[in-house]
Amino acid sequence: MALITDGTVALAEEPTDTRTLAARDGRGRRRSGPRRIRRPRLLTALTWVVLSALALVMLVPMYIMIINAFKPQQEIIRNPLGFSLDTLTFEYLWAAITSERFNVVAAYGITLLFVVLVNVFGILLSAPVAYVIARGRSKWHLGLLLLFVSGMFIPGQVTLIPVVFVLRVLGLINTIPGFLLFETAATLPITIFLFAAYLRTVPRDIDEAAALDGAGRMRAFWLCIFPIMRPVVATIMVLNSISVWNDFVSPQIILGPSSGLYTVTTGVYSAVSQYSTSYTTVFPTLLLAIAPAVIFFIIMQRHIIGGLVAGATKG
């Protein structure tokens, strides 16, 4: 840049701050602005196609079940995907609610009791273990975490037969305590894993402040740290509740028909197994079974994402 003063020409230095240099490219030319990396339109379209296909795979069966729960047998066979307001009726849904083969109220009550107890026992057992693992610094704590996490990779059906033999020896087969013991143990791996991941983000200053006030480790955990874990506790409750509600194999084998206790899934099985060709019985009964779980998941889904993200990074 030229500067003329008293007939002399002097060259003024251009500013050389980092912002100016950053605004230049390799040849010394100024850039018009930051370049944005645009996503190819083909990739965006392909992403939407894949997501739409997955949504159809999951939503179409649910749509068929909901629509056919309010239609007569002939209409279901003739046009399973369509519906008409003239043929829609609540008669078959009410028949399923009042059916003697499937007591909906009793099944809801028993399953809800199992859901609450499994959540309470699982959280009470997992939270202190996860706290010790998260605050530990030795390899033993890491090994203990890996031991619990390894349980996530073992299918529950593989351990079911040995569990039956153990419960039979203990005299807990076909009993509620035996079933609760198995379901609680099945929830421990994922619960401890998520709790430990979240507790690693909680500052240790809270533990030190509680210790200065004279609180022991467990008292400091339950009074000071556990209230902070509400996001991940909500996540665990949602995941465990849906798992217990939808479980069929475990209550069918551990409780068994001889116990006289039917959860929602085993009650559906006993109601429709002998009448599988009667779609006016199958679809309304299935709708009654999954409706509470779907509604609960829709309401609580934001807590699942919030709890998982909260423990994803270390603060």
mmCIF file of all heavy atoms in Angstrom, residues 20-22 58 73 94 103 109 132 134 136 138 158 160 175 199 201 251 266 276 282 287:
data_model
loop_
_atom_site.group_PDB
_atom_site.id
_atom_site.type_symbol
_atom_site.label_atom_id
_atom_site.label_comp_id
_atom_site.label_asym_id
_atom_site.label_seq_id
_atom_site.Cartn_x
_atom_site.Cartn_y
_atom_site.Cartn_z
ATOM 1 N N THR A 20 -5.684 -12.086 9.113
ATOM 2 C CA THR A 20 -5.452 -11.736 7.716
ATOM 3 C C THR A 20 -4.779 -12.881 6.981
ATOM 4 O O THR A 20 -5.116 -13.218 5.844
ATOM 5 C CB THR A 20 -4.590 -10.466 7.621
ATOM 6 O OG1 THR A 20 -5.238 -9.419 8.336
ATOM 7 C CG2 THR A 20 -4.404 -10.046 6.174
ATOM 8 N N LEU A 21 -3.798 -13.490 7.614
ATOM 9 C CA LEU A 21 -3.108 -14.615 6.976
ATOM 10 C C LEU A 21 -4.052 -15.786 6.779
ATOM 11 O O LEU A 21 -3.963 -16.509 5.781
ATOM 12 C CB LEU A 21 -1.913 -15.042 7.836
ATOM 13 C CG LEU A 21 -0.774 -14.005 7.938
ATOM 14 C CD1 LEU A 21 0.302 -14.512 8.879
ATOM 15 C CD2 LEU A 21 -0.194 -13.687 6.562
ATOM 16 N N ALA A 22 -4.950 -15.977 7.746
ATOM 17 C CA ALA A 22 -5.880 -17.093 7.611
ATOM 18 C C ALA A 22 -6.855 -16.860 6.481
ATOM 19 O O ALA A 22 -7.407 -17.806 5.925
ATOM 20 C CB ALA A 22 -6.649 -17.290 8.914
ATOM 21 N N MET A 58 -40.477 -51.203 10.120
ATOM 22 C CA MET A 58 -40.921 -51.219 11.514
ATOM 23 C C MET A 58 -42.369 -50.760 11.690
ATOM 24 O O MET A 58 -43.064 -51.238 12.590
ATOM 25 C CB MET A 58 -39.994 -50.331 12.348
ATOM 26 C CG MET A 58 -38.585 -50.886 12.494
ATOM 27 S SD MET A 58 -37.525 -49.863 13.550
ATOM 28 C CE MET A 58 -37.264 -48.453 12.468
ATOM 29 N N GLN A 73 -63.432 -60.674 10.804
ATOM 30 C CA GLN A 73 -62.572 -61.693 10.209
ATOM 31 C C GLN A 73 -62.574 -61.619 8.682
ATOM 32 O O GLN A 73 -61.522 -61.671 8.058
ATOM 33 C CB GLN A 73 -63.046 -63.081 10.670
ATOM 34 C CG GLN A 73 -62.254 -64.246 10.112
ATOM 35 C CD GLN A 73 -61.094 -64.619 11.001
ATOM 36 O OE1 GLN A 73 -60.860 -63.994 12.026
ATOM 37 N NE2 GLN A 73 -60.358 -65.633 10.609
ATOM 38 N N TRP A 94 -63.157 -55.017 22.812
ATOM 39 C CA TRP A 94 -63.828 -55.179 24.100
ATOM 40 C C TRP A 94 -63.934 -56.651 24.483
ATOM 41 O O TRP A 94 -63.809 -57.008 25.663
ATOM 42 C CB TRP A 94 -65.205 -54.542 24.046
ATOM 43 C CG TRP A 94 -65.985 -54.702 25.319
ATOM 44 C CD1 TRP A 94 -67.067 -55.495 25.532
ATOM 45 C CD2 TRP A 94 -65.702 -54.063 26.565
ATOM 46 N NE1 TRP A 94 -67.501 -55.391 26.820
ATOM 47 C CE2 TRP A 94 -66.680 -54.520 27.496
ATOM 48 C CE3 TRP A 94 -64.725 -53.154 26.988
ATOM 49 C CZ2 TRP A 94 -66.698 -54.090 28.809
ATOM 50 C CZ3 TRP A 94 -64.749 -52.728 28.315
ATOM 51 C CH2 TRP A 94 -65.722 -53.194 29.199
ATOM 52 N N ASN A 103 -56.938 -62.487 31.117
ATOM 53 C CA ASN A 103 -57.373 -61.445 32.047
ATOM 54 C C ASN A 103 -56.399 -60.268 31.929
ATOM 55 O O ASN A 103 -55.300 -60.279 32.489
ATOM 56 C CB ASN A 103 -57.391 -61.989 33.475
ATOM 57 C CG ASN A 103 -58.080 -61.047 34.436
ATOM 58 O OD1 ASN A 103 -58.100 -59.828 34.220
ATOM 59 N ND2 ASN A 103 -58.645 -61.588 35.500
ATOM 60 N N GLY A 109 -51.334 -55.955 35.983
ATOM 61 C CA GLY A 109 -50.907 -55.769 37.364
ATOM 62 C C GLY A 109 -49.672 -56.586 37.711
ATOM 63 O O GLY A 109 -48.729 -56.074 38.328
ATOM 64 N N VAL A 132 -18.089 -47.788 42.803
ATOM 65 C CA VAL A 132 -16.763 -48.296 43.178
ATOM 66 C C VAL A 132 -15.893 -48.477 41.940
ATOM 67 O O VAL A 132 -14.701 -48.135 41.936
ATOM 68 C CB VAL A 132 -16.908 -49.627 43.946
ATOM 69 C CG1 VAL A 132 -15.542 -50.258 44.181
ATOM 70 C CG2 VAL A 132 -17.619 -49.393 45.271
ATOM 71 N N ALA A 134 -16.179 -46.886 39.005
ATOM 72 C CA ALA A 134 -15.861 -45.596 38.386
ATOM 73 C C ALA A 134 -14.825 -44.816 39.178
ATOM 74 O O ALA A 134 -14.009 -44.090 38.590
ATOM 75 C CB ALA A 134 -17.141 -44.770 38.238
ATOM 76 N N GLY A 136 -12.537 -46.232 41.135
ATOM 77 C CA GLY A 136 -11.320 -47.013 41.292
ATOM 78 C C GLY A 136 -10.282 -46.657 40.249
ATOM 79 O O GLY A 136 -10.600 -46.251 39.129
ATOM 80 N N SER A 138 -7.333 -48.853 39.894
ATOM 81 C CA SER A 138 -6.483 -50.013 39.646
ATOM 82 C C SER A 138 -7.032 -50.847 38.494
ATOM 83 O O SER A 138 -8.147 -50.639 38.009
ATOM 84 C CB SER A 138 -6.395 -50.876 40.915
ATOM 85 O OG SER A 138 -7.668 -51.435 41.223
ATOM 86 N N VAL A 158 -29.278 -68.700 26.487
ATOM 87 C CA VAL A 158 -28.186 -69.641 26.748
ATOM 88 C C VAL A 158 -28.099 -69.949 28.240
ATOM 89 O O VAL A 158 -27.840 -71.092 28.641
ATOM 90 C CB VAL A 158 -26.855 -69.068 26.217
ATOM 91 C CG1 VAL A 158 -25.690 -69.974 26.594
ATOM 92 C CG2 VAL A 158 -26.922 -68.886 24.711
ATOM 93 N N LEU A 160 -30.564 -69.671 30.398
ATOM 94 C CA LEU A 160 -31.868 -69.968 30.994
ATOM 95 C C LEU A 160 -31.933 -71.395 31.545
ATOM 96 O O LEU A 160 -32.431 -71.614 32.659
ATOM 97 C CB LEU A 160 -32.966 -69.748 29.962
ATOM 98 C CG LEU A 160 -34.396 -69.730 30.499
ATOM 99 C CD1 LEU A 160 -34.553 -68.659 31.563
ATOM 100 C CD2 LEU A 160 -35.386 -69.482 29.369
ATOM 101 N N THR A 175 -41.779 -69.673 41.154
ATOM 102 C CA THR A 175 -42.084 -68.712 42.222
ATOM 103 C C THR A 175 -41.712 -67.307 41.762
ATOM 104 O O THR A 175 -40.853 -67.119 40.887
ATOM 105 C CB THR A 175 -41.318 -69.037 43.510
ATOM 106 O OG1 THR A 175 -39.907 -68.929 43.256
ATOM 107 C CG2 THR A 175 -41.640 -70.437 44.005
ATOM 108 N N LEU A 199 -20.844 -42.069 35.863
ATOM 109 C CA LEU A 199 -20.143 -41.630 37.069
ATOM 110 C C LEU A 199 -18.737 -41.133 36.774
ATOM 111 O O LEU A 199 -18.184 -40.339 37.544
ATOM 112 C CB LEU A 199 -20.087 -42.776 38.081
ATOM 113 C CG LEU A 199 -21.404 -43.079 38.797
ATOM 114 C CD1 LEU A 199 -21.319 -44.379 39.575
ATOM 115 C CD2 LEU A 199 -21.774 -41.930 39.724
ATOM 116 N N THR A 201 -18.069 -39.086 34.560
ATOM 117 C CA THR A 201 -18.223 -37.677 34.206
ATOM 118 C C THR A 201 -18.511 -36.805 35.423
ATOM 119 O O THR A 201 -18.500 -35.580 35.311
ATOM 120 C CB THR A 201 -19.364 -37.502 33.185
ATOM 121 O OG1 THR A 201 -20.620 -37.821 33.809
ATOM 122 C CG2 THR A 201 -19.164 -38.415 31.991
ATOM 123 N N PRO A 251 -40.528 -65.767 31.759
ATOM 124 C CA PRO A 251 -41.705 -66.106 32.591
ATOM 125 C C PRO A 251 -42.385 -67.392 32.170
ATOM 126 O O PRO A 251 -42.954 -68.090 33.015
ATOM 127 C CB PRO A 251 -42.630 -64.897 32.392
ATOM 128 C CG PRO A 251 -42.187 -64.266 31.125
ATOM 129 C CD PRO A 251 -40.716 -64.493 31.040
ATOM 130 N N THR A 266 -47.098 -63.975 28.297
ATOM 131 C CA THR A 266 -47.555 -65.351 28.479
ATOM 132 C C THR A 266 -49.079 -65.428 28.459
ATOM 133 O O THR A 266 -49.649 -66.432 28.035
ATOM 134 C CB THR A 266 -47.023 -65.921 29.805
ATOM 135 O OG1 THR A 266 -47.434 -65.068 30.889
ATOM 136 C CG2 THR A 266 -45.502 -65.999 29.780
ATOM 137 N N SER A 276 -55.344 -69.497 16.876
ATOM 138 C CA SER A 276 -54.475 -68.692 16.028
ATOM 139 C C SER A 276 -55.136 -68.314 14.707
ATOM 140 O O SER A 276 -54.742 -67.355 14.067
ATOM 141 C CB SER A 276 -53.170 -69.450 15.754
ATOM 142 O OG SER A 276 -53.449 -70.709 15.149
ATOM 143 N N VAL A 282 -56.612 -62.600 17.798
ATOM 144 C CA VAL A 282 -55.165 -62.393 17.801
ATOM 145 C C VAL A 282 -54.812 -60.909 17.813
ATOM 146 O O VAL A 282 -54.071 -60.428 18.691
ATOM 147 C CB VAL A 282 -54.529 -63.096 16.589
ATOM 148 C CG1 VAL A 282 -53.042 -62.756 16.518
ATOM 149 C CG2 VAL A 282 -54.722 -64.602 16.668
ATOM 150 N N LEU A 287 -52.630 -56.070 20.423
ATOM 151 C CA LEU A 287 -52.661 -54.623 20.607
ATOM 152 C C LEU A 287 -52.715 -54.257 22.091
ATOM 153 O O LEU A 287 -52.026 -53.330 22.547
ATOM 154 C CB LEU A 287 -53.868 -54.037 19.878
ATOM 155 C CG LEU A 287 -54.062 -52.518 19.994
ATOM 156 C CD1 LEU A 287 -52.866 -51.779 19.420
ATOM 157 C CD2 LEU A 287 -55.342 -52.088 19.293
#
